[in-house]
Amino acid sequence: MRPDAAAKRDTFFAAIGSRSLLMGIVNVTPDSFSDGGRFVAPEAAIAQARAHVAASAAIIDVGAESTRPGYTPVSEAEELARLEPALTALIASVDVAVSIDTTKAGVARVALAAGAAVVNDQWGLQRDPAMAVVVAEGEAGLVIMHNRDDIDAAIDIMDDMRRFFDRSLALADRAGIPHHRIILDPGIGFGKSKAQNLAALHGIAALRGYGLPVLVGVSRKSLFAALIGATDVADRLIGTLAANLAAAARGAAIFRVHDCAENRAALTVFDAIERA
């Protein structure tokens, strides 16, 4: 890993636990559910990343393939074509770590060479067999997200998450990925019913038993349409804030969000109360 990226990586991981941290989302996609098409142009992506950092984001998460419900998968070549025009300049434009949101080892390898410091894998090393080696060789941090191909409302989602994380952590261990550079994500909105999403959020405290930081990504999710009737994405901020505060109370450390300023204000109040 490049020395500048390694320094940003280490600064990010060292800050975990000192306060609630924000991961600012930058989607360079034409079809993301919340902001598809808004940040495809490199200038727009860079401006959004800078705005997140100005609002106290500790890390920027860049993704070039939508994973919204009903999304159309793209090839590695297409994902890189979307990503590469902005990535190097974006990384150079911010003084915090940048993570690459991808399930493809080839995309992760290119992003790490460009200066990304963390791989945010929505399949937790279990979709692309080469991903664990790429993360290990790149000395990257890793977000392991729980995922399922299909929703099965009959299963105990916490048991399923434990089995998934056990497999992913075994893959990470075999590849030589250091334990202290791993973050767990319960994968809210991925392969779960409404009840299972709520159970996953409620069960965050149990996930802390792994001794690893927990990241939560509920920002603007369709869960809030089901809970509070917020069918318009623009109306889901208050639901996002409520869910993130509930997650913080259960031990979540990092929050992947679109609206950094508002989440920073809410979590600053939460942190002040917790420290009082």
Side-chain angles (χ1 to χ4, degrees):
M1 177 173 286
R2 290 168 27 172
D4 55 340
K8 291 177 179 178
R9 176 202 64 202
D10 293 345
T11 297
F12 168 67
F13 276 92
I16 295 173
S18 64
R19 64 187 186 282
S20 299
L21 301 184
L22 297 180
M23 173 183 275
I25 300 167
V26 179
N27 289 318
V28 290
T29 55
D31 55 345
S32 290
F33 78 95
S34 175
D35 52 12
R38 290 187 59 196
F39 306 113
V40 172
E43 299 80 7
I46 291 166
Q48 181 70 350
R50 287 174 170 168
H52 284 326
V53 173
S56 299
I59 186 169
I60 301 299
D61 192 48
V62 182
E65 179 179 24
S66 172
T67 52
R68 63 179 173 79
Y71 78 100
T72 301
V74 300
S75 67
E76 179 178 313
E78 174 62 23
E79 191 172 342
L80 286 170
R82 295 174 179 180
L83 187 68
E84 288 182 302
L87 186 63
T88 300
L90 186 153
I91 290 169
S93 74
V94 295
D95 60 359
V96 301
V98 171
S99 63
I100 177 64
D101 181 358
T102 186
T103 61
K104 300 180 182 69
V107 174
R109 185 181 293 107
V110 170
L112 293 173
V118 176
V119 175
N120 182 7
D121 184 357
Q122 294 182 359
W123 278 98
L125 308 178
Q126 296 185 39
R127 185 50 54 100
D128 188 330
M131 183 66 91
V133 172
V134 168
V135 173
E137 290 181 348
E139 301 179 321
L142 173 66
V143 178
I144 293 173
M145 195 192 84
H146 174 265
N147 210 334
R148 292 178 52 82
D149 283 309
D150 301 297
I151 296 172
D152 181 352
I155 66 171
D156 183 319
I157 200 64
M158 293 304 298
D159 284 346
D160 192 77
M161 288 167 62
R162 290 186 189 96
R163 287 191 294 271
F164 183 97
F165 288 139
D166 288 346
R167 288 194 299 271
S168 293
L169 290 169
L171 291 169
D173 187 58
R174 284 200 293 272
I177 300 169
H179 201 69
H180 66 269
R181 291 184 193 153
I182 298 176
I183 296 164
L184 301 182
D185 178 350
I188 305 304
F190 290 84
K192 299 173 182 67
S193 67
K194 180 183 80 170
Q196 288 169 338
N197 281 315
L198 295 175
L201 285 166
H202 190 272
I204 284 171
L207 295 181
R208 297 286 289 124
Y210 281 99
L212 296 169
V214 175
L215 179 152
V216 171
V218 297
S219 185
R220 303 181 181 177
K221 291 284 177 77
S222 59
L223 173 65
F224 303 120
L227 287 175
I228 59 175
T231 54
D232 192 324
V233 169
D235 296 330
R236 296 176 184 174
L237 175 58
I238 192 166
T240 299
L241 296 174
N244 280 340
L245 290 171
R250 286 162 173 79
I254 308 154
F255 304 85
R256 184 178 182 274
V257 299
H258 300 84
D259 305 290
C260 279
E262 293 85 349
N263 280 276
R264 169 50 55 216
L267 289 164
T268 295
V269 173
F270 173 85
D271 288 345
I273 294 169
E274 287 295 290
R275 290 193 299 266

